[in-house]
Amino acid sequence: MEILKKPVLTEKVASLTEKLNRFVFVVDTNANKIQIKNAIQQMYGVTVESVNTMRYSGKVKSRGTKRGVVAGRTPSFKKAVVTVAKGETIDFYGTV
């Protein structure tokens, strides 16, 4: 099971990172906080102080086409806000 799916890179997350040293990831829906903490420490080599998780349910979307209304759903996902120890950082871009 791949626990970390992708980092969330938005302006809101960038301000969280600058002010509070927090990083946000989309994670597996079945992963718990301990698994997320261990995966981040292993992948990025940083000390994780805390993990907060949020579950998002998929939205119902519909659109009108020639054949009528087509309805569907966006996928559900889980998001983790990870607080890293002071003085440590995660470099997503790999700048040298």
Side-chain angles (χ1 to χ4, degrees):
M1 171 172 75
E2 185 178 323
I3 294 170
L4 301 176
K5 292 188 177 179
K6 65 179 180 176
V8 177
L9 303 172
T10 60
E11 290 182 31
K12 191 172 185 178
V13 171
S15 67
L16 263 180
T17 301
E18 291 172 11
K19 294 176 185 172
L20 303 171
N21 210 23
R22 292 183 178 169
F23 298 89
V24 182
F25 296 88
V26 175
V27 297
D28 187 82
T29 53
N30 297 322
N32 61 32
K33 292 181 181 186
I34 297 166
Q35 291 171 331
I36 295 167
K37 179 179 178 177
N38 292 336
I40 290 173
Q41 287 179 342
Q42 190 175 33
M43 182 174 270
Y44 296 107
V46 294
T47 305
V48 175
E49 289 184 350
S50 67
V51 177
N52 299 78
T53 58
M54 295 164 262
R55 295 182 74 123
Y56 289 90
S57 58
K59 297 179 184 176
V60 176
K61 299 259 185 167
S62 61
R63 66 178 190 270
T65 63
K66 290 179 184 177
R67 299 174 84 35
V69 177
V70 177
R73 292 186 70 87
T74 58
S76 300
F77 63 97
K78 187 174 191 177
K79 197 161 76 167
V81 179
V82 178
T83 306
V84 177
K86 201 166 198 164
E88 295 187 0
T89 186
I90 296 174
D91 186 18
F92 295 121
Y93 301 109
T95 54
V96 178

